[in-house]
Amino acid sequence: ASPRQQHRIGPTTRGVHHARAKDTHMLRRPARDLTRTFTRTFASSSSSAPRVSIERAADGVATVTLGRPEKLNSLDIDMFRAIRSAAVELAEDKGVRAVVVHGSGRAFCAGLDVKSINHPLHARANGRELLDRPDGAISNLAQDVCYLWRRVPAPVIAATHGVCLGGGFQIALGADMRIATPGCKFSLMEAKWGIIPDMGATVVLPELVPKDVATELIMTGRIFDGEEALRLGLVTRLAEEPLAEARRLASEIAARSPDSTAAV
């Protein structure tokens, strides 16, 4: 089976295989009307601004926007929930032919919002919500933001710019393709916090680069740019306008047979 058909997340789920189909615990929704462009938002419990929005176009391309630009789209608990909800919805939508994921403002995603997640009033509850794995699921909420993109039957393209760090990089790694600016900064920074990048990188990274390269990037947590990411095989191509290029590629793929793209 190809990497898109066979996958595992985290040390507790090694050897778990799956097809790119919806999880049994997900509710089936009817296919969307894609005759026009429209937007779906996933709001924050602490702000009126949506954390994530989905814009669906008539050609079947869905654009997912991370919407916390004032914090470089860093991951607080509301962002985790919103990304999961968006990925689940798109995985169930038979009208979607391709997906583009990008960040609003100056960055794709700066990674975990440590201050917010570890707030004294919410740290314990946040930790439980992020790490608890429901019965029958193969990933927890923290891992869902990477893993669930691999459950979307349509191809997923991440368009990165600015910074793509830590958990943000792992979200991008969950996509099938990545288009980045030459100067986009990448890093798996978890080693600096005394943890491992187990939101998905420990599994996905060795699929893309040799094991020794993956080990070096994880152990050092060093920052590298889009040029090096391309040489390493971590991004598909470079573009000065990655969102426009990702949408162009998504539209090209959407015009092809959905059966063939789902089978790759």
Side-chain angles (χ1 to χ4, degrees), residues 1 12 25-26 31 42 44 47 51 54 67 80 96 113 141 144 168 170 187 207 221 229 247 254:
T12 62
H25 68 276
M26 296 177 183
F42 298 87
S44 162
S47 169
R51 283 288 188 265
I54 302 174
F80 276 104
V96 171
D113 185 341
L141 174 58
D144 281 347
Q170 293 179 83
S187 176
E207 296 177 357
R247 282 175 166 161

Side-chain angles (χ1 to χ4, degrees), residues 66 170 175 200 214 256:
L66 309 184
Q170 293 179 83
R256 304 295 186 262

